[in-house]
Amino acid sequence: MPSAVGGTGRTGGRAGRPTMKDVAAHVGTSIKSVSRVLNGEDGVSAATAERILQAMAELGFRRNDLARGLRQSDRTSTIGLALPQAGTRFHDSLVHGIDEIARQQGSFVLTASSGTAARERETLTALCSRRVDGLIVVPAGEDHGFLRPEQQAGVPVVFVDRPPHGIAADAVLTDHAEGARAGTAHLLRQGHRRIGVVGDDERIFSVAERIGGHRAALRTEQVAYAEELTRLGARCAEEAMHACLDLLGSGQPPTALFTLNNQCTIGAVRALRRLGLTRRVAMVGFDDFETADLIDPPVTVISHDVEEIGRTAARLMFERMAGHSPAPGRTTLPTKLIARGSGEIPVVDESS
Amino acid sequence: MPSAVGGTGRTGGRAGRPTMKDVAAHVGTSIKSVSRVLNGEDGVSAATAERILQAMAELGFRRNDLARGLRQSDRTSTIGLALPQAGTRFHDSLVHGIDEIARQQGSFVLTASSGTAARERETLTALCSRRVDGLIVVPAGEDHGFLRPEQQAGVPVVFVDRPPHGIAADAVLTDHAEGARAGTAHLLRQGHRRIGVVGDDERIFSVAERIGGHRAALRTEQVAYAEELTRLGARCAEEAMHACLDLLGSGQPPTALFTLNNQCTIGAVRALRRLGLTRRVAMVGFDDFETADLIDPPVTVISHDVEEIGRTAARLMFERMAGHSPAPGRTTLPTKLIARGSGEIPVVDESS
C-alpha cells in the first residue's frame, strides 16, 4: 500500500495523511482545481488534471479520507468491468455474479472488453473517464500502474483471475494450482502414468499455475513430467482437438488427458470420439460446463465457482467504496473435483 | 420516421428540416443552450435540457443534418449495448459480433444489463448519459419512446431480437416463425402427430413468434394444436426439465418434443434421460449450442447465426453514424435446420 512518506508538500492532516491542500501545494494549483479533478468536474485543463492525479498518486492521497463527508450525489452508481474478451463462459458467469451484488447495492455495471494487452490501457482509461465508482479488472496486460491515479482518487480497483502488476490492489483468484494438483492426482490414482496435457498459452497466469499444480502432483508420486505429452497454445476447441489428435496419434500416446480449460475439454472429447477412444482414454478437465454430465462418458471436471468469484470481487469493491480500507490482499477460492465417469477410466493395457 | 410537420417554431431551413435556431425558438432559449445539449456540454439546467430534447423530438430535429460538419472529436468512439440479462449464450454471441464490427470502426462497446422492463429505462438513460455515439438495444420493456430525444439528437438506435415500440428505429431479427415452422414440419415428416412444446414466457416476442410458426406447420398438415401438450413459462433448464417430466408422465404423452430455446432443450434432454426415453421420443430444439453434437443422441436444432445478428446491427448503426439515413426498417435473418439424430427418431408405436 502506498505510504504518504515523501509527500514534500504535506502540511499536516490527521494520521499523516495528505489532504487536498497538500496536493494543491505540490502541484502549485488551487484547492478548487484539486476538488474539481476529484469530483470529475470541468474547468481544469487536461494537463493540470494529469499533474494533479500524478501528485495524488505520489503523495498517497486517498479519496476515502473524504468519502464519508461526500454527498451521495458524488457517486455515479456505476461499476466498470473490463474483460479481455467478450462472450466466453468464464466471463458470463463472472458478469452474472458481479451484477447480482451491484443490483443489491443499487449500482449498474458497465462492461468493456479490453482485448489485447495493447488495447487494455485505452479501454480502461475510456471506462474510467465515464466516471465509475469502482473498477473490476480481468487483466490482459502486464502492468496496471496507470490505474494508480484513479485508485488514489478514490476509485477502488479489484483484479480477478490474475493478480495485478505495478499497483497494490485486491485480487480474487481461483486456486488453480491446487485444482490441477487434485485433478492430476485423481488420474494417477487410477494408475495413469502417461498423462497428456492440453491447454492455452503458458504466459497466462492461470495456465502457468495449472501446469505447476499438475507437475507438483507428478512429483509427489515420483512420476517424471514428460514434455512431449504437453501441447500448449490451443486458443479454442478446434485447436485443442487437433493438439489431442496429434498427441493420441503419437508413438507412445498418453493413457489419460488433463485439459486446462473447458474449450480444451470440448476439443479433447471431439478428438477421442473421432478416434473411438472415449472409453479407453481417461480425461479430467479444468472448468465445469453446463452439458458436461450429458456427454458420453460424462466428463469429470475440476470446478470453480466463477459466479462466486464475481460476487466476492464486487463485495470487496463495495466495501472499499463504503470506506473500509485494509491493506490490499488476495482472496483465493477453492476448486472441487466432480467425478462423473471420464476421469475414472482405468489404464488400458497398451498391448491389448 | 418523424416528419418536421407541426414544428410551429420553424423558420425555414433547407428541405424543410428544423435547425437549432428553430429548436431554440420553440423552447424560448438560446441557440448556445441547444448546442450545449446537443454536444453534451454542461451549463444547461436539467429542466431546460429536457425541454430542448423534447422540442428536438417534436420538431423532428436530426443531428445528422449537422453531422458532416461536426469535428471528429465530437464523437466518443463508444457504442452502448443494453441487454435484458448478462451471461446468456445468446447475448455472448451477440456481443462477440457487435464487438468485431466496433473494433473495425475503432470504437469500443460499453455493455449494460437492463434486467426487467422497469429497470430498462433507467439503464438506457444512464448509458446515454455516458455519451455514446450509437445504441444497440435488446428490448426488455414494452415502450421505447423515451429514446426518441437521443435518437433525434443524432444517436442512432438499433433494436435486436425484438422489434421496437413507441419509436421508429431499425431492428435486426431472426425469422423465428419460419424456423419453428421448419422444425415442426421436420417432426411431422417423421410421422409425429403429438408434439410437445416447452418454452419460455409467451409474452416474449421470439417465443410468441416461434409458437406461431409451430402452429402454422401443424395447420399445413391439418394436425390439431393440442393446448395440453404445451408447457410455457420455463425460465431455465431446471424448470424446463420439470415441465418435460410432467408432459411425458401424462396419460397421453407426446411422441416428440419441440423446445423453444437451448435452456429448454438441455432441460428436455435431462428429462428424457431420467425417463430412459432418449431413443424413443424425438426432439428438435430452437438455438444451436456448442456441445449439441456430443450428446447422445446428438441434438437436431434450428440454428440462427447470432454473431451475424450482432454484426448486422452494428453495421446498420455505423452506417447511420456515417450519415446514411434511410427510413428505419427490419432486417430478418434466416434460420437453418441441422439434423443430428434426435429429430429423426420415428414414432414409436404406443402399444409396444
Side-chain angles (χ1 to χ4, degrees):
Chain A
M1 205 156 88
S3 89
V5 175
T8 50
R10 279 199 297 123
T11 56
R14 73 184 149 81
R17 284 207 166 139
T19 62
M20 284 207 285
K21 197 172 159 189
D22 302 328
V23 175
H26 191 81
V27 177
T29 182
S30 67
I31 295 178
K32 183 71 196 157
S33 293
V34 175
S35 160
R36 280 181 166 146
V37 168
L38 198 55
N39 293 315
E41 289 164 14
D42 289 339
V44 182
S45 75
T48 304
E50 179 59 36
R51 277 165 54 221
I52 289 170
L53 286 169
Q54 200 54 50
M56 286 176 177
E58 282 170 23
L59 300 178
F61 176 90
R62 300 179 63 240
R63 186 184 172 142
N64 278 351
D65 292 4
L66 289 174
R68 285 168 217 104
L70 290 176
R71 282 164 298 127
Q72 188 58 32
S73 59
D74 287 327
R75 290 282 165 84
T76 62
S77 295
T78 307
I79 301 311
L81 169 64
L83 306 171
Q85 204 190 338
T88 73
R89 268 177 235 159
F90 176 82
H91 295 148
D92 306 339
S93 303
L94 194 67
V95 172
H96 234 270
I98 292 169
D99 211 47
E100 185 186 321
I101 301 300
R103 281 179 192 223
Q104 287 171 12
Q105 300 282 338
S107 280
F108 97 120
V109 183
L110 275 183
T111 306
S113 38
S114 48
T116 57
R119 211 179 123 106
E120 185 182 41
R121 181 174 181 153
E122 194 190 334
T123 305
L124 285 170
T125 307
L127 201 50
C128 289
S129 76
R130 262 71 186 182
R131 296 207 60 207
V132 292
D133 295 335
L135 196 58
I136 298 178
V137 179
V138 180
E142 292 304 320
D143 183 4
H144 295 87
F146 66 90
L147 286 173
R148 267 178 302 180
E150 286 297 328
Q151 194 189 37
Q152 300 301 333
V155 177
V157 184
V158 177
F159 286 77
V160 164
D161 201 43
R162 307 171 198 175
H165 292 288
I167 183 172
D170 293 317
V172 181
L173 309 172
T174 293
D175 198 343
H176 304 290
E178 170 52 24
R181 193 208 56 73
T184 304
H186 188 71
L187 290 169
L188 290 166
R189 271 197 299 280
Q190 324 297 323
H192 296 283
R193 291 296 175 268
R194 294 183 58 76
I195 303 173
V197 174
V198 178
D200 200 345
D201 193 323
E202 197 172 5
R203 285 169 299 184
I204 299 169
F205 173 79
S206 54
V207 176
E209 289 284 300
R210 290 171 191 184
I211 292 172
H214 168 72
R215 295 183 71 154
L218 294 179
R219 270 197 307 277
T220 302
E221 295 297 318
Q222 297 179 299
V223 175
Y225 172 72
E227 200 76 62
E228 75 274 15
L229 291 179
T230 302
R231 295 285 185 281
L232 300 179
R235 290 161 301 177
C236 60
E238 177 82 10
E239 290 183 7
M241 180 185 76
H242 287 291
C244 289
L245 287 173
D246 179 54
L247 207 46
L248 294 163
S250 64
Q252 280 210 300
T255 64
L257 294 174
F258 183 55
T259 50
L260 300 185
N261 65 37
N262 59 23
Q263 286 302 299
C264 291
T265 306
I266 290 167
V269 172
R270 292 193 203 285
L272 292 170
R273 292 220 164 189
R274 199 177 272 204
L275 300 171
L277 291 173
T278 49
R279 304 209 157 268
R280 291 173 63 92
V281 173
M283 183 170 68
V284 172
F286 210 112
D287 293 337
D288 200 5
F289 55 101
E290 194 178 16
T291 55
D293 63 320
L294 299 178
I295 290 171
D296 181 36
V299 183
T300 294
V301 297
I302 303 299
S303 158
H304 52 149
D305 188 343
V306 181
E307 281 195 32
E308 183 58 21
I309 292 175
R311 285 189 289 264
T312 304
R315 280 191 207 106
L316 278 169
M317 201 190 49
F318 282 106
E319 279 165 19
R320 285 199 181 271
M321 277 162 55
H324 298 265
S325 49
R330 286 192 189 187
T331 306
T332 303
L333 298 184
T335 61
K336 193 169 69 175
L337 183 123
I338 304 175
R340 294 200 178 104
S342 74
E344 293 70 49
I345 296 172
V347 181
V348 175
D349 184 341
E350 285 174 36
S351 62
S352 73
Chain B
M1 208 156 88
S3 88
V5 175
T8 51
R10 279 199 297 123
T11 57
R14 76 186 147 76
R17 285 214 165 131
T19 62
M20 284 206 285
K21 197 172 161 188
D22 302 330
V23 175
H26 191 80
V27 177
T29 183
S30 68
I31 295 179
K32 181 71 196 160
S33 292
V34 176
S35 159
R36 279 182 168 146
V37 168
L38 197 56
N39 294 315
E41 290 164 12
D42 289 338
V44 183
S45 76
T48 305
E50 179 59 36
R51 279 164 54 221
I52 289 170
L53 285 169
Q54 201 53 52
M56 285 176 179
E58 282 170 22
L59 299 177
F61 177 89
R62 301 178 63 239
R63 185 183 174 143
N64 278 351
D65 293 2
L66 289 173
R68 284 167 217 102
L70 290 176
R71 282 165 298 125
Q72 188 56 33
S73 58
D74 287 326
R75 290 284 165 83
T76 61
S77 295
T78 308
I79 301 311
L81 169 64
L83 305 171
Q85 204 191 337
T88 75
R89 269 179 234 156
F90 176 83
H91 294 147
D92 307 339
S93 304
L94 195 67
V95 173
H96 234 269
I98 292 168
D99 211 48
E100 184 185 320
I101 302 300
R103 282 181 191 222
Q104 287 171 11
Q105 299 282 338
S107 279
F108 98 118
V109 183
L110 276 183
T111 306
S113 38
S114 48
T116 58
R119 210 178 124 106
E120 183 182 44
R121 182 175 179 152
E122 193 190 333
T123 305
L124 284 171
T125 308
L127 201 50
C128 289
S129 76
R130 262 72 186 182
R131 297 207 62 207
V132 293
D133 296 335
L135 196 58
I136 298 177
V137 180
V138 179
E142 292 305 321
D143 183 4
H144 296 87
F146 66 89
L147 285 174
R148 266 178 302 179
E150 287 296 329
Q151 193 189 37
Q152 300 302 334
V155 176
V157 183
V158 177
F159 287 77
V160 163
D161 202 43
R162 307 171 197 175
H165 292 288
I167 183 172
D170 293 317
V172 182
L173 309 171
T174 293
D175 198 342
H176 304 290
E178 170 53 23
R181 192 209 56 73
T184 304
H186 188 72
L187 290 169
L188 290 166
R189 273 197 298 279
Q190 325 295 323
H192 296 283
R193 291 296 175 268
R194 295 183 56 76
I195 303 173
V197 174
V198 177
D200 200 344
D201 193 323
E202 198 173 4
R203 285 169 298 184
I204 299 170
F205 173 79
S206 54
V207 176
E209 289 282 301
R210 291 172 190 183
I211 292 171
H214 169 73
R215 296 182 72 152
L218 294 179
R219 270 197 306 278
T220 301
E221 296 297 318
Q222 297 178 300
V223 175
Y225 172 71
E227 201 76 62
E228 74 273 14
L229 292 179
T230 302
R231 296 286 186 280
L232 299 180
R235 289 162 301 178
C236 61
E238 177 82 9
E239 290 183 7
M241 181 185 76
H242 288 291
C244 289
L245 288 173
D246 179 53
L247 206 48
L248 294 163
S250 65
Q252 280 209 300
T255 64
L257 294 174
F258 182 55
T259 50
L260 300 185
N261 65 36
N262 59 25
Q263 286 301 299
C264 292
T265 306
I266 290 166
V269 172
R270 292 193 203 285
L272 292 170
R273 291 220 165 190
R274 200 177 272 203
L275 300 171
L277 291 173
T278 49
R279 304 208 157 268
R280 291 173 62 90
V281 173
M283 183 171 69
V284 172
F286 210 112
D287 294 337
D288 200 5
F289 55 101
E290 194 178 17
T291 55
D293 63 319
L294 299 178
I295 289 171
D296 182 35
V299 184
T300 295
V301 298
I302 303 298
S303 156
H304 51 150
D305 188 343
V306 181
E307 280 196 34
E308 182 59 20
I309 292 175
R311 285 189 290 262
T312 304
R315 279 190 207 107
L316 278 169
M317 201 191 48
F318 282 107
E319 278 164 19
R320 286 199 182 270
M321 278 162 55
H324 298 264
S325 49
R330 285 192 189 188
T331 306
T332 302
L333 298 183
T335 61
K336 192 171 71 177
L337 183 124
I338 305 176
R340 293 199 177 107
S342 74
E344 293 70 49
I345 296 172
V347 181
V348 176
D349 185 342
E350 285 174 35
S351 62
S352 73

